[in-house]
Amino acid sequence: MAKLRRQDLDELDRQDALAPLRASFHLPRGLVYLDGNSLGPLPRAARQRLRRVVDLEWGRDLIGSWNRHGWIDLPLVVGEKIGRLLGAGPGETAVADSTSVNVFKLAAAALALSPGRRTIVALASDFPSDLYVLAGLAELLRDGSDGRPVKVELVAPDDVGSALGPDTALLVASHVDFRTGRLHDLAALSRLAHQHGALVLFDLAHSAGVVPLELARWQVDLAVGCGYKYLNGGPGAPAFLYVASRHQDALRQPLSGWMGHAAPFRFEPTYEPAPGIGRTLCGTPPILSLAALDAALEVFDGVDVGALRAKSMALGEVFLRLVGERCGDAGLELASPANAVDRGSQISLRHARGYGIVQALAARGVVGDFRAPDLLRFGFAPTFLRFRDLWTAALALERVLEREEWDRAEHRRQLKVT
Ligand SMILES: *Cc1c(COP(=O)(O)O)cnc(C)c1O
């Protein structure tokens, strides 16, 4: 096969039906941003909306904005918009808190829905915050409401089947492995868990907005995910959570704050959960962040997630091919599955000097991220990336490796956030 040329990538951009979406974002000139999987870029609509919320809603209308500008309804209104990207039914998605906090609320709720079952099975490779939260929940429940402590069992993805049993209350799994990008088959995991009478809680942080999801069809019980990754809601944007309708009436979550009360403004001394998904809320929502997320979701209006997925797979394939052609013998190793269908929207490469390489790339205007101990991680957000950006990225990577730029003192200095 002939080597890819720059013109080939320009041609792919010309054929790309999603190319116009790029204009929905503010992107610094000259930057190749392969980190939309960690923090999405600023959508123009979010910037405009923030200006309006600050100046008019907060600045002028003050407390009246809870009613007048519908602030109070935003958690469910924005949840509904995200629900469409998840294949959720109406009234099954809300926006609240962080993904970590939502894992806590829903894992606790799952235990309460599964009397007599005390084991949570989770993937050892899952995002550590999810595992820390599950450990914290088990610690809290160590004395056991029915006399037995809660146990968290960590397993490899391929061992889930043998780990599930009559004591399993819940299977927790991420859709995409944040390190390798491996895509797990949520429909199959859901079926497997249900065969054992267990519920599932899936973390969609790296798939919402970029991989087609069919939560209702896959019979998913519970799910969580981030607002600031492919959904572009901004730094610290609130997270989403999903509860299948069939579980909502019985669902009890332990952070039973007033925003999840059936009638918060009756100020009754006892808690009565709101009907439906509203009971998953806890305290006052962060309106600035929530409004930004609401506006950011306009990017997805009329966009088919299947088309986004097709482009993101093509971007990954082209990137891999370019890296193979230009950096083939530079000691990089593919840490992601070799087939695009088995990956989320990222590619991870392994290199002992990974940290310095990622820093040196950033200095050249190509932003990816590093995951300890040796992973270079590149995300392919199909909403704003161009094929020609991959050309720039692969050339920069080639130079960094050739000139050993990773060895420069300024690129070896460990920063607090990687
Ligand atoms: C990014 C990410 C999180 C982050 O959770 P926060 O509580 O928002 O910090 C959780 N889970 C997964 C799988 C992630 O990739």
Side-chain angles (χ1 to χ4, degrees), residues 71-409:
W71 286 359
I72 196 68
D73 300 319
L74 274 180
L76 302 195
V77 166
V78 182
E80 213 50 33
K81 291 185 184 172
I82 294 176
R84 286 202 286 275
L85 299 172
L86 309 181
E92 292 186 315
T93 314
V95 172
D97 304 313
S98 62
T99 302
S100 304
V101 171
N102 290 336
V103 167
F104 178 82
K105 292 189 294 190
L106 295 188
L111 286 167
L113 282 171
S114 315
R117 292 171 177 252
R118 305 301 281 171
T119 302
I120 298 175
V121 173
L123 302 185
S125 51
D126 267 351
F127 194 71
S129 190
D130 295 14
L131 304 183
Y132 303 158
V133 166
L134 295 178
L137 178 62
E139 172 74 12
L140 191 68
L141 301 175
R142 69 184 174 280
D143 297 329
S145 55
D146 63 354
R148 286 188 305 131
V150 167
K151 198 175 93 191
V152 180
E153 199 180 326
L154 301 184
V155 301
D158 299 325
D159 297 336
V160 167
S162 46
L164 297 170
D167 193 54
T168 312
L170 179 68
L171 167 64
V172 178
S174 289
H175 195 186
V176 178
D177 183 308
F178 80 103
R179 290 188 186 86
T180 64
R182 174 172 170 181
L183 188 70
H184 298 123
D185 182 344
L186 297 189
L189 288 175
S190 175
R191 228 176 300 126
L192 200 56
H194 292 159
Q195 278 164 14
H196 292 272
L199 301 174
V200 292
L201 166 54
F202 293 143
D203 188 332
L204 312 173
H206 283 281
S207 56
V210 74
V211 178
L213 293 160
E214 297 281 351
L215 297 192
R217 200 164 63 80
W218 301 337
Q219 298 276 306
V220 173
D221 303 291
L222 308 163
V224 297
C226 294
Y228 52 81
K229 293 177 176 166
Y230 292 106
L231 301 182
N232 312 305
F240 63 83
L241 52 78
Y242 157 93
V243 177
S245 314
R246 62 186 176 280
H247 296 305
Q248 289 182 2
D249 287 349
L251 189 100
R252 294 289 180 277
Q253 59 93 0
L255 300 187
S256 42
W258 70 316
M259 287 295 146
H261 193 281
F265 288 90
R266 282 216 304 264
F267 296 104
E268 287 162 354
T270 51
Y271 181 75
E272 184 197 329
I277 191 74
R279 65 183 54 189
T280 59
L281 306 181
C282 180
T284 303
I287 294 302
L288 298 182
S289 294
L290 197 44
L293 174 58
D294 187 24
L297 291 166
E298 285 175 21
V299 170
F300 294 91
D301 282 351
V303 175
D304 170 31
V305 184
L308 292 171
R309 172 71 173 151
K311 179 176 171 187
S312 102
M313 291 200 297
L315 288 165
E317 290 293 89
V318 167
F319 180 74
L320 264 189
R321 195 170 148 201
L322 284 169
V323 169
E325 288 171 1
R326 313 215 140 252
C327 320
D329 42 13
L332 289 168
E333 197 187 306
L334 179 62
S336 298
N339 291 322
V341 289
D342 299 324
R343 295 191 296 257
S345 192
Q346 78 181 58
I347 286 182
S348 301
L349 303 171
R350 194 168 269 131
H351 194 288
R353 301 300 189 139
Y355 183 80
I357 295 172
V358 167
Q359 295 303 319
L361 277 174
R364 285 180 166 275
V366 175
V367 176
D369 60 24
F370 170 76
R371 287 294 172 260
D374 57 0
L375 292 179
L376 299 83
R377 196 173 66 156
F378 302 103
F380 302 98
T383 42
F384 61 87
L385 277 179
R386 298 168 301 193
F387 287 91
R388 76 185 67 154
D389 294 329
L390 306 176
W391 178 263
T392 311
L395 248 61
L397 183 58
E398 184 182 21
R399 295 281 179 280
V400 165
L401 292 165
E402 234 169 45
R403 299 180 187 174
E404 303 193 347
E405 289 177 2
W406 40 262
D407 206 26
R408 294 187 187 162

